[in-house]
Amino acid sequence: MHLFYTPDLKTDTYTLNEEESKHCSKVLRLNVGDTVQLIDGVGGLYEAEITAVNKRNVDLKIINHIKDYGKRDFHIHIAIAPTKNIDRFEWFLEKTTEIGIDEITPLICERSERKVIKAERLEKVITSAVKQSIKAYHPKLNAAINLQEFLQQAKADHKLIAHCLDGDDKQYINTQVKNQQSYLILIGPEGDFSPAEISSALQNGYKPVTLGNTRLRTETAGLAACFELNYINR
């Protein structure tokens, strides 16, 4: 069944916006009487029937509703430096959304090669992945923020930092966390966090962790952390 993202759905009737209506009627060639699925991004999964197809709009009537569809009892927040090649960062957003992530914060670090992002484009990537994987919860994409400022305000049951420098007594993620809680992990830019940034994170209660013996790209490290945290809470 075809699925549409409808974050402003509040009543038993709904009109798809012009873009989604065009996709519904012109591309998918759906018509009156056909049924579709809707997700509102906050846990609602709906089944709806098409009641009218106009030149620019498609009208729907809700016929079934499931609350808290796919709700999880843990929270994953990855704060990660956007990659120089934005395609790789978009890949990270797409794949972690499909696997399961609740919150993403783009970090601006000392060694960041990309300090500006287009949030609107990234939101579309996330929304597309939500629809692809039929998730009723839409991950939250926060505004880009300087790492030092982020360290002062971020909260979670478990705060972790993955970095490549030797010296710290880095442990595997599964030895540092308990399941069904909230997790925040920091992933640095291509050049890694600076020693001063790592020291600051440790002073703010972050525990150093390793993602294995292989040096990973930024986006791969973020995906690996997301996968492992989901596996721990399976």
Side-chain angles (χ1 to χ4, degrees):
M1 190 180 296
H2 301 290
L3 185 143
F4 297 88
Y5 178 50
T6 54
D8 54 344
L9 176 58
K10 303 296 182 183
T11 65
D12 290 337
T13 59
Y14 188 82
T15 299
L16 295 176
N17 62 35
E18 186 172 347
E19 181 180 354
E20 290 279 50
S21 292
K22 182 178 179 181
H23 182 70
C24 179
S25 62
K26 303 298 183 183
V27 178
L28 301 177
R29 297 187 180 279
L30 300 178
N31 214 324
V32 173
D34 289 331
T35 55
V36 297
Q37 287 182 316
L38 312 175
I39 48 174
D40 59 13
V42 290
L45 175 66
Y46 303 80
E47 184 177 357
E49 180 181 337
I50 298 175
T51 57
V53 176
N54 303 309
K55 187 175 182 179
R56 294 187 176 182
N57 299 110
V58 171
D59 296 332
L60 306 169
K61 180 181 179 180
I62 306 303
I63 56 178
N64 191 27
H65 175 207
I66 301 174
K67 294 182 179 180
D68 301 325
Y69 180 79
K71 186 177 182 178
R72 311 189 306 174
D73 54 5
F74 58 98
H75 185 96
I76 296 176
H77 180 181
I78 295 183
I80 180 171
T83 53
K84 181 179 180 180
N85 182 341
I86 197 62
D87 289 346
R88 289 179 175 171
F89 191 65
E90 291 179 1
W91 178 85
F92 160 78
L93 294 175
E94 178 183 78
K95 299 311 174 187
T96 52
T97 298
E98 291 177 2
I99 291 173
I101 192 169
D102 302 283
E103 191 171 356
I104 306 108
T105 298
L107 290 179
I108 307 304
C109 306
E110 288 183 24
R111 297 172 178 170
S112 291
E113 294 190 71
R114 174 176 290 277
K115 298 187 178 182
V116 177
I117 61 172
K118 295 182 179 179
E120 184 178 354
R121 166 63 187 170
L122 300 183
E123 287 282 6
K124 289 182 178 179
V125 171
I126 294 173
T127 298
S128 178
V130 164
K131 293 164 66 176
Q132 167 66 32
S133 51
I134 314 179
K135 293 188 179 297
Y137 290 91
H138 193 289
K140 180 182 179 183
L141 177 65
N142 295 318
I145 185 173
N146 179 274
L147 172 63
Q148 296 299 337
E149 183 180 351
F150 181 78
L151 292 176
Q152 300 299 319
Q153 64 185 45
K155 297 180 180 179
D157 294 323
H158 302 281
K159 298 191 296 183
L160 313 171
I161 179 172
H163 66 82
C164 300
L165 292 186
D166 296 327
D168 288 330
D169 184 21
K170 291 185 281 187
Q171 304 294 318
Y172 286 97
I173 291 177
N174 67 326
T175 67
Q176 298 296 298
V177 304
K178 297 180 180 179
N179 57 3
Q180 280 76 56
Q181 295 189 358
S182 61
Y183 315 95
L184 167 57
I185 184 164
L186 307 180
I187 305 293
E190 283 96 332
D192 201 9
F193 294 111
S194 70
E197 288 175 328
I198 295 171
S199 177
S200 182
L202 298 181
Q203 291 173 10
N204 279 277
Y206 287 79
K207 296 180 179 180
V209 294
T210 177
L211 297 173
N213 297 324
T214 303
R215 178 167 291 197
L216 304 175
R217 290 182 181 275
T218 294
E219 70 276 13
T220 310
L223 182 62
C226 181
F227 178 84
E228 185 163 358
L229 288 170
N230 273 279
Y231 182 79
I232 290 170
N233 289 275
R234 68 191 188 283

